[in-house]
Every structure is written in C-alpha cells, then in structure tokens.
C-alpha cells in the first residue's frame, strides 16, 4: 500500500518539520529537486531493495507526488483548528511546489513512452492510454502557472484577486488528476489485476470524500438570512447537503462497481487466454515429442533426425533457465525444449512494470514460440521488456 505509506510518512514529516520548512523553504525544494534528479539519472536496474522501491515505485510512478497533492487538497477540508489542518494550511504552497518538482521524474519516466507515441504514432496507443496522455498534457500545462504563482515572491507581486482566480484552476487540476489515474488504471483493471482495483478504490474514496467535504464547505459558507427564516433555511440547507453526500456516494459506488466488474471480466479473459495458451503449448509439446520419437527411430534406422530447425534445433530435450535485462532489472525465464523446438516459456521473475511487461510478454513469448527464434519484433512501447525476454530465452538455450 504505497499510497497509504506515502500519506502517512509525508503527513508525519510535514508535522515534525513545519517550522523548518516554513523558515527555509529553499532547502525543502532543493531536497525534492535532488530526489527528482536521482530518479531521473539513477540506472533503471537498481538492485538495493529500499532504493529500488523509493525510486521505481514511489518516485517514478508518481505515488509520492500524488500523496503530496492529496495533502494540498485536503488541507482546506481537514477538521477546523486541528493541528494537522494548521500544519497543512501553513505549508500548502510549499507542499504543492515540492509535489510539482517531484512530478518531473514521473513525467520523464512515463512521458518517454506515452508522449513519444502520442506525437509520433498515436494509433499505437490504446484509447484509454491516449485519453490519459492528453489529460497528462493538460495537467502539465495547468501545473506550470499554478506552481510558479505558488512561490511567495511571485504571489506578492500579483494582484490578490487575480491570484485567487488563477489558483481556482487547481480544482480543474485535481479533477484531471483523478481522471488521469482512472484512465491509466483501466489497463490493469481490464487485465483482471486485483491490486489495481484496490489502489483505484483507494483513490476513488479519497477523491470522493474530498469532493463531498469541499462542496459541503463551499455550500455552508453562503450566509443564511436572519430570523424568522433562519431555522427553516438552515434545515433546508442541511437536507441539501445530505442529498449532495448521497449523490456523490452513489456515484462512487457506481464507479467502484464498474471497476470491479471490469476486473472480473479481465480475470475471466486471462483465464480463457491461459487455457488457450496451455492447450497450444500441450499440442506443441505433443507434436515435438512425436517428432522426437520419429527422430530417434530415424537415428535407429540410420536416417537423419527430423527435429526442429530453429534456435533450439541442437538443444537436447529439457528445461533451461536464463536471464536477460529488462526495463527495471533482471528477467528470469524457464524455457522447455522438446525435439529441438521451444515448447513453452515461463517468466520466473521480473521487476518491470506490469503495464509494459504484460504487452511484451504476450507478444514476444507467442512470437518466439511460433517463429522458433529469439529475433522477433519487440512490443511497441515496451522495447526494453521485450529485449529482456528475448535475451533471457537466448541465454537459457546457450550451452
Ligand atoms: C502533472 C503531471 C502528472 C501527475 C501529477 C501525475 C500523477 C500520477 C499519479 C498520482 C499516479 C498514480 C500513482 C499510483 O498510485 O500508482 C500516476 C500514474 C501514472 N501516470 Fe501520471 N501524472 C502526471 C503526468 C503523467 C504523464 C505526463 C504521464 C505519461 C504521459 C503519466 C503516466 C502515468 C502512468 C503510466 C501511471 C501508472 C503508473 C503505474 O501504476 O504503473 N503521468 N500519475
């Protein structure tokens, strides 16, 4: 639960370091610049587990930045006069600037794939990836002026009314951020990944609750008429607030139900694909073993063996393990060979992001099995994972 961890750690750090951050925000920003640079320039194949988790999961995937934006959002709706609200309201601008700096690493990590395809070959992006990329672009465009005007020096030079008007666009940013996550997670949900459902449910709850609290606050801020209408108007307003909460809760429930059904359908689809693959693997193994039998018969009769002619042609029957380097680290595979033919490829280990690896695995493994060579086309946008699988298979078959 990376998001919960980030929310807890950042909440604690901001509470403990409130004075220091307020007095010397430059050091705070420099710290995030350093974190961003580290995650941009550190090699992708990190082997030290805590560092790999920090860089690959929390920084490059945008979880830390996302949790900081959540604090910025929640600052205004946290219980009034609580210590946490005071801290978050005081540090709101600094946290927003820190989060924007952190998104740089995330933008570079994922922009390399999505933006490159968006501007060069948009047809290769799935529809939900295309929409998510467009939202990301809009978010970046919004974030630039919002971040620049969050600096005290800039804010002081601006007209207060204009500053407030500009900062209202942050609500649009939050909305786009939630939609960005929704569309980006669609891939994982459609593949039946329950972990995506849990993360998605968490984001939906956090954004939904925020929407309820924020609208209630805005609604209750409106002045009420004085007596004699006061009590009736107050009761009517309360009823409206209850209706508003009910409507948002219902919307959240529908979104979650839809996500749940998407995951169930994805699981069913994956089970069907796995069945088809295992049937074709079994058929391939059968044909290889009958070829093996006829080969040994041929050998007995002095004729040339009729085995496979691909990369595994000279490899004795058996199972072999091999390694290759993917996007985030080593990929380990188990390759089964029967009568000079690759009959199955199993991925034993990978650190690559599920989102990319799934495409690479599906395309490259099938292509190797069909063509009996490791020189097959890489999956578009998942070149490193594809190359890693090809190299691992090649490595497994080497004597
Ligand atoms: C202002 C800019 C951006 C912000 C604030 C942002 C924020 C986020 C957040 C909070 C997540 C969810 C992380 C999680 O809990 O799993 C996320 C996921 C993701 N974002 Fe962004 N994002 C931004 C821009 C981009 C851009 C430009 C791209 C690529 C074009 C992108 C691609 C992705 C992808 C692929 C994921 C899914 C990561 C995964 O879980 O595997 N984002 N983003």
């Amino acid at each position: 639960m990376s998001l919960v961890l980030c929310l807890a750690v950042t909440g604690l750090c901001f509470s403990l370091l409130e004075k220091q951050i307020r007095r010397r925000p430059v050091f705070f920003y420099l710290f995030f610049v350093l974190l961003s640079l580290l995650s941009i320039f550190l090699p992708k194949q990190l082997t030290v587990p805590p560092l790999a988790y920090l860089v690959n999961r929390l920084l490059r995937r945008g979880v830390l930045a996302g949790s900081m934006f959540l604090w910025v959002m929640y600052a205004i709706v946290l219980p009034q006069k609580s210590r946490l609200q005071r801290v978050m309201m005081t540090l709101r601008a600094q946290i927003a600037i820190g989060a924007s700096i952190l998104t740089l690493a995330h933008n570079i990590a994922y922009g390399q794939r999505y933006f490159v395809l968006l501007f060069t070959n948009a047809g290769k992006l799935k529809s939900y990836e295309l929409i998510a990329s467009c939202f990301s672009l809009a978010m970046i465009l919004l974030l630039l002026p919002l971040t620049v005007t969050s600096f005290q020096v800039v804010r002081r030079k601006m007209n207060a009314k204009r500053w407030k008007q500009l900062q209202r666009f942050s609500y649009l940013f939050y909305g786009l951020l939630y939609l960005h996550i929704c569309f980006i997670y669609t891939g994982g949900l459609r593949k039946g990944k329950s972990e995506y459902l849990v993360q998605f449910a968490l984001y939906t709850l956090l954004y939904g609750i925020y929407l309820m609290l924020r609208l209630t606050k805005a609604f209750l801020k409106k002045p009420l008429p004085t007596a004699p209408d006061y009590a009736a108007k107050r009761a009517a307003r309360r009823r409206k607030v209850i209706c508003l909460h009910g409507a948002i809760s219902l919307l959240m429930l529908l979104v979650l139900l839809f996500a749940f059904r998407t995951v169930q359908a994805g699981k069913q689809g994956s089970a069907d694909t796995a069945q088809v693959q295992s049937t074709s693997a079994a058929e391939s193994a059968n044909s290889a073993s009958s070829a093996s039998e006829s080969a040994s018969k041929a050998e007995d009769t002095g004729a040339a063996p009729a085995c496979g002619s691909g990369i595994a042609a000279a490899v004795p029957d058996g199972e072999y393990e091999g390694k290759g380097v993917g996007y985030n680290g080593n990929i380990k595979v188990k390759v089964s060979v029967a009568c000079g033919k690759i009959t199955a490829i199993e991925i034993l280990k990978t650190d690559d992001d599920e989102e990319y690896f799934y495409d690479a695995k599906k395309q490259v493994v099938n292509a190797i099995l069909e063509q009996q060579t490791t020189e097959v086309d890489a999956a578009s946008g998942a070149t490193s994972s594809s190359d890693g699988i090809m190299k691992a298979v090649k490595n497994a078959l080497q004597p």
Side-chain angles (χ1 to χ4, degrees), residues 177-207:
L177 184 49
Y178 175 66
L179 290 175
H180 166 71
I181 295 169
C182 287
F183 280 100
I184 267 307
Y185 270 32
T186 306
L189 296 175
R190 280 195 186 168
K191 284 167 199 158
K193 304 279 165 201
S194 306
E195 64 273 22
Y196 277 84
L197 181 64
V198 176
Q199 284 280 94
F200 180 74
L202 190 61
Y203 276 114
T204 302
L205 282 178
L206 286 167
Y207 278 83

PDB file of all heavy atoms in Angstrom, residues 177-207:
ATOM      1  N   LEU A 177      -6.398  15.042 -12.501  1.00  0.00           N
ATOM      2  CA  LEU A 177      -5.502  14.066 -11.867  1.00  0.00           C
ATOM      3  C   LEU A 177      -6.264  12.773 -11.575  1.00  0.00           C
ATOM      4  O   LEU A 177      -5.771  11.668 -11.843  1.00  0.00           O
ATOM      5  CB  LEU A 177      -4.922  14.672 -10.583  1.00  0.00           C
ATOM      6  CG  LEU A 177      -3.894  13.854  -9.802  1.00  0.00           C
ATOM      7  CD1 LEU A 177      -2.804  13.329 -10.709  1.00  0.00           C
ATOM      8  CD2 LEU A 177      -3.264  14.696  -8.696  1.00  0.00           C
ATOM      9  N   TYR A 178      -7.471  12.917 -11.050  1.00  0.00           N
ATOM     10  CA  TYR A 178      -8.264  11.715 -10.755  1.00  0.00           C
ATOM     11  C   TYR A 178      -8.598  10.977 -12.068  1.00  0.00           C
ATOM     12  O   TYR A 178      -8.451   9.757 -12.151  1.00  0.00           O
ATOM     13  CB  TYR A 178      -9.554  12.085 -10.004  1.00  0.00           C
ATOM     14  CG  TYR A 178     -10.437  10.877  -9.792  1.00  0.00           C
ATOM     15  CD1 TYR A 178     -10.021   9.836  -8.965  1.00  0.00           C
ATOM     16  CD2 TYR A 178     -11.650  10.745 -10.465  1.00  0.00           C
ATOM     17  CE1 TYR A 178     -10.810   8.698  -8.801  1.00  0.00           C
ATOM     18  CE2 TYR A 178     -12.435   9.618 -10.302  1.00  0.00           C
ATOM     19  CZ  TYR A 178     -12.013   8.602  -9.468  1.00  0.00           C
ATOM     20  OH  TYR A 178     -12.775   7.470  -9.328  1.00  0.00           O
ATOM     21  N   LEU A 179      -8.979  11.749 -13.107  1.00  0.00           N
ATOM     22  CA  LEU A 179      -9.305  11.104 -14.383  1.00  0.00           C
ATOM     23  C   LEU A 179      -8.070  10.441 -14.993  1.00  0.00           C
ATOM     24  O   LEU A 179      -8.152   9.362 -15.577  1.00  0.00           O
ATOM     25  CB  LEU A 179      -9.877  12.146 -15.359  1.00  0.00           C
ATOM     26  CG  LEU A 179     -11.265  12.660 -14.989  1.00  0.00           C
ATOM     27  CD1 LEU A 179     -11.701  13.759 -15.932  1.00  0.00           C
ATOM     28  CD2 LEU A 179     -12.296  11.526 -15.016  1.00  0.00           C
ATOM     29  N   HIS A 180      -6.910  11.098 -14.804  1.00  0.00           N
ATOM     30  CA  HIS A 180      -5.639  10.540 -15.295  1.00  0.00           C
ATOM     31  C   HIS A 180      -5.417   9.157 -14.677  1.00  0.00           C
ATOM     32  O   HIS A 180      -5.117   8.182 -15.365  1.00  0.00           O
ATOM     33  CB  HIS A 180      -4.524  11.512 -14.902  1.00  0.00           C
ATOM     34  CG  HIS A 180      -3.128  11.008 -15.020  1.00  0.00           C
ATOM     35  ND1 HIS A 180      -2.515  10.786 -16.227  1.00  0.00           N
ATOM     36  CD2 HIS A 180      -2.206  10.677 -14.078  1.00  0.00           C
ATOM     37  CE1 HIS A 180      -1.281  10.363 -16.021  1.00  0.00           C
ATOM     38  NE2 HIS A 180      -1.063  10.283 -14.717  1.00  0.00           N
ATOM     39  N   ILE A 181      -5.634   9.077 -13.373  1.00  0.00           N
ATOM     40  CA  ILE A 181      -5.447   7.801 -12.671  1.00  0.00           C
ATOM     41  C   ILE A 181      -6.489   6.781 -13.152  1.00  0.00           C
ATOM     42  O   ILE A 181      -6.166   5.633 -13.431  1.00  0.00           O
ATOM     43  CB  ILE A 181      -5.518   8.010 -11.134  1.00  0.00           C
ATOM     44  CG1 ILE A 181      -4.352   8.890 -10.694  1.00  0.00           C
ATOM     45  CG2 ILE A 181      -5.474   6.678 -10.390  1.00  0.00           C
ATOM     46  CD1 ILE A 181      -4.445   9.388  -9.272  1.00  0.00           C
ATOM     47  N   CYS A 182      -7.754   7.243 -13.295  1.00  0.00           N
ATOM     48  CA  CYS A 182      -8.817   6.330 -13.764  1.00  0.00           C
ATOM     49  C   CYS A 182      -8.442   5.699 -15.093  1.00  0.00           C
ATOM     50  O   CYS A 182      -8.491   4.482 -15.254  1.00  0.00           O
ATOM     51  CB  CYS A 182     -10.128   7.081 -13.991  1.00  0.00           C
ATOM     52  SG  CYS A 182     -10.941   7.556 -12.502  1.00  0.00           S
ATOM     53  N   PHE A 183      -8.066   6.548 -16.065  1.00  0.00           N
ATOM     54  CA  PHE A 183      -7.797   6.019 -17.409  1.00  0.00           C
ATOM     55  C   PHE A 183      -6.537   5.169 -17.434  1.00  0.00           C
ATOM     56  O   PHE A 183      -6.489   4.132 -18.084  1.00  0.00           O
ATOM     57  CB  PHE A 183      -7.714   7.167 -18.430  1.00  0.00           C
ATOM     58  CG  PHE A 183      -9.072   7.623 -18.849  1.00  0.00           C
ATOM     59  CD1 PHE A 183      -9.645   8.756 -18.299  1.00  0.00           C
ATOM     60  CD2 PHE A 183      -9.803   6.890 -19.776  1.00  0.00           C
ATOM     61  CE1 PHE A 183     -10.928   9.161 -18.665  1.00  0.00           C
ATOM     62  CE2 PHE A 183     -11.079   7.286 -20.146  1.00  0.00           C
ATOM     63  CZ  PHE A 183     -11.640   8.426 -19.595  1.00  0.00           C
ATOM     64  N   ILE A 184      -5.512   5.628 -16.711  1.00  0.00           N
ATOM     65  CA  ILE A 184      -4.245   4.877 -16.695  1.00  0.00           C
ATOM     66  C   ILE A 184      -4.440   3.506 -16.049  1.00  0.00           C
ATOM     67  O   ILE A 184      -3.878   2.516 -16.471  1.00  0.00           O
ATOM     68  CB  ILE A 184      -3.168   5.722 -15.962  1.00  0.00           C
ATOM     69  CG1 ILE A 184      -2.355   6.568 -16.916  1.00  0.00           C
ATOM     70  CG2 ILE A 184      -2.299   4.935 -15.066  1.00  0.00           C
ATOM     71  CD1 ILE A 184      -1.686   6.059 -18.074  1.00  0.00           C
ATOM     72  N   TYR A 185      -5.295   3.457 -15.033  1.00  0.00           N
ATOM     73  CA  TYR A 185      -5.525   2.186 -14.334  1.00  0.00           C
ATOM     74  C   TYR A 185      -6.422   1.232 -15.138  1.00  0.00           C
ATOM     75  O   TYR A 185      -6.509   0.060 -14.820  1.00  0.00           O
ATOM     76  CB  TYR A 185      -6.159   2.456 -12.965  1.00  0.00           C
ATOM     77  CG  TYR A 185      -5.139   2.642 -11.861  1.00  0.00           C
ATOM     78  CD1 TYR A 185      -3.908   3.214 -12.113  1.00  0.00           C
ATOM     79  CD2 TYR A 185      -5.400   2.226 -10.563  1.00  0.00           C
ATOM     80  CE1 TYR A 185      -2.973   3.390 -11.115  1.00  0.00           C
ATOM     81  CE2 TYR A 185      -4.466   2.392  -9.552  1.00  0.00           C
ATOM     82  CZ  TYR A 185      -3.260   2.975  -9.838  1.00  0.00           C
ATOM     83  OH  TYR A 185      -2.341   3.132  -8.844  1.00  0.00           O
ATOM     84  N   THR A 186      -7.111   1.783 -16.161  1.00  0.00           N
ATOM     85  CA  THR A 186      -8.008   0.940 -16.955  1.00  0.00           C
ATOM     86  C   THR A 186      -7.288  -0.299 -17.486  1.00  0.00           C
ATOM     87  O   THR A 186      -7.839  -1.402 -17.482  1.00  0.00           O
ATOM     88  CB  THR A 186      -8.588   1.748 -18.145  1.00  0.00           C
ATOM     89  OG1 THR A 186      -9.177   2.910 -17.606  1.00  0.00           O
ATOM     90  CG2 THR A 186      -9.640   0.966 -18.898  1.00  0.00           C
ATOM     91  N   GLY A 187      -6.018  -0.084 -17.920  1.00  0.00           N
ATOM     92  CA  GLY A 187      -5.237  -1.203 -18.467  1.00  0.00           C
ATOM     93  C   GLY A 187      -5.130  -2.337 -17.460  1.00  0.00           C
ATOM     94  O   GLY A 187      -5.426  -3.499 -17.770  1.00  0.00           O
ATOM     95  N   GLY A 188      -4.730  -1.997 -16.226  1.00  0.00           N
ATOM     96  CA  GLY A 188      -4.561  -3.003 -15.168  1.00  0.00           C
ATOM     97  C   GLY A 188      -5.891  -3.651 -14.801  1.00  0.00           C
ATOM     98  O   GLY A 188      -5.976  -4.861 -14.597  1.00  0.00           O
ATOM     99  N   LEU A 189      -6.946  -2.836 -14.746  1.00  0.00           N
ATOM    100  CA  LEU A 189      -8.263  -3.364 -14.380  1.00  0.00           C
ATOM    101  C   LEU A 189      -8.763  -4.342 -15.452  1.00  0.00           C
ATOM    102  O   LEU A 189      -9.254  -5.417 -15.145  1.00  0.00           O
ATOM    103  CB  LEU A 189      -9.283  -2.227 -14.214  1.00  0.00           C
ATOM    104  CG  LEU A 189      -9.018  -1.215 -13.087  1.00  0.00           C
ATOM    105  CD1 LEU A 189     -10.047  -0.101 -13.129  1.00  0.00           C
ATOM    106  CD2 LEU A 189      -9.065  -1.887 -11.725  1.00  0.00           C
ATOM    107  N   ARG A 190      -8.556  -3.960 -16.717  1.00  0.00           N
ATOM    108  CA  ARG A 190      -9.024  -4.832 -17.808  1.00  0.00           C
ATOM    109  C   ARG A 190      -8.270  -6.155 -17.849  1.00  0.00           C
ATOM    110  O   ARG A 190      -8.757  -7.131 -18.377  1.00  0.00           O
ATOM    111  CB  ARG A 190      -8.830  -4.123 -19.149  1.00  0.00           C
ATOM    112  CG  ARG A 190      -9.906  -3.126 -19.423  1.00  0.00           C
ATOM    113  CD  ARG A 190      -9.862  -2.759 -20.882  1.00  0.00           C
ATOM    114  NE  ARG A 190     -10.787  -1.688 -21.167  1.00  0.00           N
ATOM    115  CZ  ARG A 190     -10.791  -1.014 -22.290  1.00  0.00           C
ATOM    116  NH1 ARG A 190      -9.921  -1.294 -23.226  1.00  0.00           N
ATOM    117  NH2 ARG A 190     -11.665  -0.053 -22.496  1.00  0.00           N
ATOM    118  N   LYS A 191      -7.043  -6.129 -17.310  1.00  0.00           N
ATOM    119  CA  LYS A 191      -6.270  -7.384 -17.297  1.00  0.00           C
ATOM    120  C   LYS A 191      -6.614  -8.222 -16.073  1.00  0.00           C
ATOM    121  O   LYS A 191      -5.996  -9.245 -15.823  1.00  0.00           O
ATOM    122  CB  LYS A 191      -4.779  -7.062 -17.330  1.00  0.00           C
ATOM    123  CG  LYS A 191      -4.306  -6.639 -18.698  1.00  0.00           C
ATOM    124  CD  LYS A 191      -2.937  -6.023 -18.642  1.00  0.00           C
ATOM    125  CE  LYS A 191      -2.686  -5.192 -19.893  1.00  0.00           C
ATOM    126  NZ  LYS A 191      -1.648  -4.197 -19.693  1.00  0.00           N
ATOM    127  N   GLY A 192      -7.571  -7.733 -15.276  1.00  0.00           N
ATOM    128  CA  GLY A 192      -8.029  -8.506 -14.117  1.00  0.00           C
ATOM    129  C   GLY A 192      -7.106  -8.430 -12.921  1.00  0.00           C
ATOM    130  O   GLY A 192      -7.076  -9.342 -12.101  1.00  0.00           O
ATOM    131  N   LYS A 193      -6.323  -7.351 -12.814  1.00  0.00           N
ATOM    132  CA  LYS A 193      -5.364  -7.231 -11.711  1.00  0.00           C
ATOM    133  C   LYS A 193      -6.051  -6.654 -10.468  1.00  0.00           C
ATOM    134  O   LYS A 193      -6.430  -5.481 -10.444  1.00  0.00           O
ATOM    135  CB  LYS A 193      -4.209  -6.294 -12.105  1.00  0.00           C
ATOM    136  CG  LYS A 193      -3.497  -6.704 -13.365  1.00  0.00           C
ATOM    137  CD  LYS A 193      -2.504  -7.789 -13.072  1.00  0.00           C
ATOM    138  CE  LYS A 193      -2.051  -8.474 -14.330  1.00  0.00           C
ATOM    139  NZ  LYS A 193      -1.495  -9.779 -14.146  1.00  0.00           N
ATOM    140  N   SER A 194      -6.171  -7.485  -9.430  1.00  0.00           N
ATOM    141  CA  SER A 194      -6.873  -7.043  -8.220  1.00  0.00           C
ATOM    142  C   SER A 194      -6.140  -5.908  -7.516  1.00  0.00           C
ATOM    143  O   SER A 194      -6.768  -5.039  -6.906  1.00  0.00           O
ATOM    144  CB  SER A 194      -7.008  -8.201  -7.246  1.00  0.00           C
ATOM    145  OG  SER A 194      -7.608  -9.260  -7.887  1.00  0.00           O
ATOM    146  N   GLU A 195      -4.789  -5.897  -7.582  1.00  0.00           N
ATOM    147  CA  GLU A 195      -4.049  -4.831  -6.894  1.00  0.00           C
ATOM    148  C   GLU A 195      -4.393  -3.455  -7.466  1.00  0.00           C
ATOM    149  O   GLU A 195      -4.413  -2.456  -6.754  1.00  0.00           O
ATOM    150  CB  GLU A 195      -2.538  -5.095  -6.891  1.00  0.00           C
ATOM    151  CG  GLU A 195      -1.829  -5.126  -8.221  1.00  0.00           C
ATOM    152  CD  GLU A 195      -1.844  -6.509  -8.889  1.00  0.00           C
ATOM    153  OE1 GLU A 195      -2.713  -7.341  -8.565  1.00  0.00           O
ATOM    154  OE2 GLU A 195      -0.983  -6.728  -9.758  1.00  0.00           O
ATOM    155  N   TYR A 196      -4.700  -3.415  -8.780  1.00  0.00           N
ATOM    156  CA  TYR A 196      -5.104  -2.141  -9.391  1.00  0.00           C
ATOM    157  C   TYR A 196      -6.470  -1.724  -8.853  1.00  0.00           C
ATOM    158  O   TYR A 196      -6.738  -0.556  -8.676  1.00  0.00           O
ATOM    159  CB  TYR A 196      -5.142  -2.265 -10.921  1.00  0.00           C
ATOM    160  CG  TYR A 196      -3.779  -2.075 -11.557  1.00  0.00           C
ATOM    161  CD1 TYR A 196      -2.883  -3.123 -11.665  1.00  0.00           C
ATOM    162  CD2 TYR A 196      -3.389  -0.834 -12.038  1.00  0.00           C
ATOM    163  CE1 TYR A 196      -1.631  -2.946 -12.230  1.00  0.00           C
ATOM    164  CE2 TYR A 196      -2.133  -0.638 -12.609  1.00  0.00           C
ATOM    165  CZ  TYR A 196      -1.267  -1.709 -12.708  1.00  0.00           C
ATOM    166  OH  TYR A 196      -0.031  -1.524 -13.259  1.00  0.00           O
ATOM    167  N   LEU A 197      -7.319  -2.729  -8.606  1.00  0.00           N
ATOM    168  CA  LEU A 197      -8.663  -2.428  -8.097  1.00  0.00           C
ATOM    169  C   LEU A 197      -8.562  -1.812  -6.699  1.00  0.00           C
ATOM    170  O   LEU A 197      -9.239  -0.826  -6.391  1.00  0.00           O
ATOM    171  CB  LEU A 197      -9.502  -3.710  -8.064  1.00  0.00           C
ATOM    172  CG  LEU A 197     -10.926  -3.534  -7.579  1.00  0.00           C
ATOM    173  CD1 LEU A 197     -11.720  -2.645  -8.523  1.00  0.00           C
ATOM    174  CD2 LEU A 197     -11.635  -4.883  -7.448  1.00  0.00           C
ATOM    175  N   VAL A 198      -7.673  -2.365  -5.872  1.00  0.00           N
ATOM    176  CA  VAL A 198      -7.515  -1.852  -4.502  1.00  0.00           C
ATOM    177  C   VAL A 198      -7.011  -0.404  -4.544  1.00  0.00           C
ATOM    178  O   VAL A 198      -7.559   0.487  -3.881  1.00  0.00           O
ATOM    179  CB  VAL A 198      -6.528  -2.748  -3.703  1.00  0.00           C
ATOM    180  CG1 VAL A 198      -6.271  -2.185  -2.327  1.00  0.00           C
ATOM    181  CG2 VAL A 198      -7.067  -4.174  -3.601  1.00  0.00           C
ATOM    182  N   GLN A 199      -5.980  -0.170  -5.377  1.00  0.00           N
ATOM    183  CA  GLN A 199      -5.430   1.192  -5.498  1.00  0.00           C
ATOM    184  C   GLN A 199      -6.484   2.150  -6.044  1.00  0.00           C
ATOM    185  O   GLN A 199      -6.633   3.261  -5.556  1.00  0.00           O
ATOM    186  CB  GLN A 199      -4.233   1.207  -6.477  1.00  0.00           C
ATOM    187  CG  GLN A 199      -2.961   0.636  -5.923  1.00  0.00           C
ATOM    188  CD  GLN A 199      -2.233   1.635  -5.042  1.00  0.00           C
ATOM    189  OE1 GLN A 199      -2.433   1.615  -3.832  1.00  0.00           O
ATOM    190  NE2 GLN A 199      -1.416   2.486  -5.591  1.00  0.00           N
ATOM    191  N   PHE A 200      -7.205   1.670  -7.051  1.00  0.00           N
ATOM    192  CA  PHE A 200      -8.217   2.507  -7.687  1.00  0.00           C
ATOM    193  C   PHE A 200      -9.319   2.862  -6.681  1.00  0.00           C
ATOM    194  O   PHE A 200      -9.783   3.997  -6.619  1.00  0.00           O
ATOM    195  CB  PHE A 200      -8.805   1.767  -8.896  1.00  0.00           C
ATOM    196  CG  PHE A 200      -9.852   2.541  -9.611  1.00  0.00           C
ATOM    197  CD1 PHE A 200      -9.514   3.621 -10.407  1.00  0.00           C
ATOM    198  CD2 PHE A 200     -11.198   2.222  -9.478  1.00  0.00           C
ATOM    199  CE1 PHE A 200     -10.484   4.358 -11.057  1.00  0.00           C
ATOM    200  CE2 PHE A 200     -12.182   2.952 -10.126  1.00  0.00           C
ATOM    201  CZ  PHE A 200     -11.820   4.017 -10.917  1.00  0.00           C
ATOM    202  N   ALA A 201      -9.711   1.854  -5.876  1.00  0.00           N
ATOM    203  CA  ALA A 201     -10.768   2.086  -4.879  1.00  0.00           C
ATOM    204  C   ALA A 201     -10.294   3.132  -3.865  1.00  0.00           C
ATOM    205  O   ALA A 201     -11.054   4.021  -3.456  1.00  0.00           O
ATOM    206  CB  ALA A 201     -11.109   0.778  -4.181  1.00  0.00           C
ATOM    207  N   LEU A 202      -9.014   3.039  -3.502  1.00  0.00           N
ATOM    208  CA  LEU A 202      -8.471   3.985  -2.526  1.00  0.00           C
ATOM    209  C   LEU A 202      -8.487   5.417  -3.077  1.00  0.00           C
ATOM    210  O   LEU A 202      -8.923   6.361  -2.413  1.00  0.00           O
ATOM    211  CB  LEU A 202      -7.035   3.549  -2.176  1.00  0.00           C
ATOM    212  CG  LEU A 202      -6.387   4.260  -1.016  1.00  0.00           C
ATOM    213  CD1 LEU A 202      -7.178   4.015   0.259  1.00  0.00           C
ATOM    214  CD2 LEU A 202      -4.962   3.746  -0.820  1.00  0.00           C
ATOM    215  N   TYR A 203      -8.024   5.557  -4.329  1.00  0.00           N
ATOM    216  CA  TYR A 203      -8.033   6.893  -4.948  1.00  0.00           C
ATOM    217  C   TYR A 203      -9.474   7.406  -5.068  1.00  0.00           C
ATOM    218  O   TYR A 203      -9.743   8.568  -4.802  1.00  0.00           O
ATOM    219  CB  TYR A 203      -7.393   6.853  -6.340  1.00  0.00           C
ATOM    220  CG  TYR A 203      -5.880   6.967  -6.317  1.00  0.00           C
ATOM    221  CD1 TYR A 203      -5.071   5.922  -6.706  1.00  0.00           C
ATOM    222  CD2 TYR A 203      -5.250   8.137  -5.901  1.00  0.00           C
ATOM    223  CE1 TYR A 203      -3.685   6.018  -6.683  1.00  0.00           C
ATOM    224  CE2 TYR A 203      -3.867   8.255  -5.877  1.00  0.00           C
ATOM    225  CZ  TYR A 203      -3.091   7.188  -6.276  1.00  0.00           C
ATOM    226  OH  TYR A 203      -1.719   7.295  -6.250  1.00  0.00           O
ATOM    227  N   THR A 204     -10.400   6.510  -5.454  1.00  0.00           N
ATOM    228  CA  THR A 204     -11.798   6.937  -5.628  1.00  0.00           C
ATOM    229  C   THR A 204     -12.376   7.409  -4.298  1.00  0.00           C
ATOM    230  O   THR A 204     -13.035   8.442  -4.233  1.00  0.00           O
ATOM    231  CB  THR A 204     -12.634   5.773  -6.213  1.00  0.00           C
ATOM    232  OG1 THR A 204     -12.035   5.395  -7.444  1.00  0.00           O
ATOM    233  CG2 THR A 204     -14.072   6.168  -6.454  1.00  0.00           C
ATOM    234  N   LEU A 205     -12.080   6.662  -3.232  1.00  0.00           N
ATOM    235  CA  LEU A 205     -12.582   7.065  -1.908  1.00  0.00           C
ATOM    236  C   LEU A 205     -11.992   8.404  -1.491  1.00  0.00           C
ATOM    237  O   LEU A 205     -12.705   9.308  -1.047  1.00  0.00           O
ATOM    238  CB  LEU A 205     -12.217   6.011  -0.863  1.00  0.00           C
ATOM    239  CG  LEU A 205     -13.095   4.760  -0.849  1.00  0.00           C
ATOM    240  CD1 LEU A 205     -12.613   3.784   0.197  1.00  0.00           C
ATOM    241  CD2 LEU A 205     -14.552   5.149  -0.572  1.00  0.00           C
ATOM    242  N   LEU A 206     -10.671   8.541  -1.668  1.00  0.00           N
ATOM    243  CA  LEU A 206     -10.020   9.789  -1.235  1.00  0.00           C
ATOM    244  C   LEU A 206     -10.526  10.999  -2.019  1.00  0.00           C
ATOM    245  O   LEU A 206     -10.797  12.048  -1.444  1.00  0.00           O
ATOM    246  CB  LEU A 206      -8.501   9.668  -1.379  1.00  0.00           C
ATOM    247  CG  LEU A 206      -7.821   8.777  -0.328  1.00  0.00           C
ATOM    248  CD1 LEU A 206      -6.394   8.454  -0.696  1.00  0.00           C
ATOM    249  CD2 LEU A 206      -7.875   9.450   1.045  1.00  0.00           C
ATOM    250  N   TYR A 207     -10.670  10.836  -3.349  1.00  0.00           N
ATOM    251  CA  TYR A 207     -11.140  11.962  -4.150  1.00  0.00           C
ATOM    252  C   TYR A 207     -12.633  12.212  -3.915  1.00  0.00           C
ATOM    253  O   TYR A 207     -13.082  13.354  -3.885  1.00  0.00           O
ATOM    254  CB  TYR A 207     -10.850  11.724  -5.645  1.00  0.00           C
ATOM    255  CG  TYR A 207      -9.423  12.075  -6.005  1.00  0.00           C
ATOM    256  CD1 TYR A 207      -8.390  11.171  -5.800  1.00  0.00           C
ATOM    257  CD2 TYR A 207      -9.087  13.327  -6.503  1.00  0.00           C
ATOM    258  CE1 TYR A 207      -7.083  11.483  -6.090  1.00  0.00           C
ATOM    259  CE2 TYR A 207      -7.767  13.652  -6.809  1.00  0.00           C
ATOM    260  CZ  TYR A 207      -6.779  12.732  -6.605  1.00  0.00           C
ATOM    261  OH  TYR A 207      -5.486  13.059  -6.892  1.00  0.00           O
TER     262      TYR A 207
END
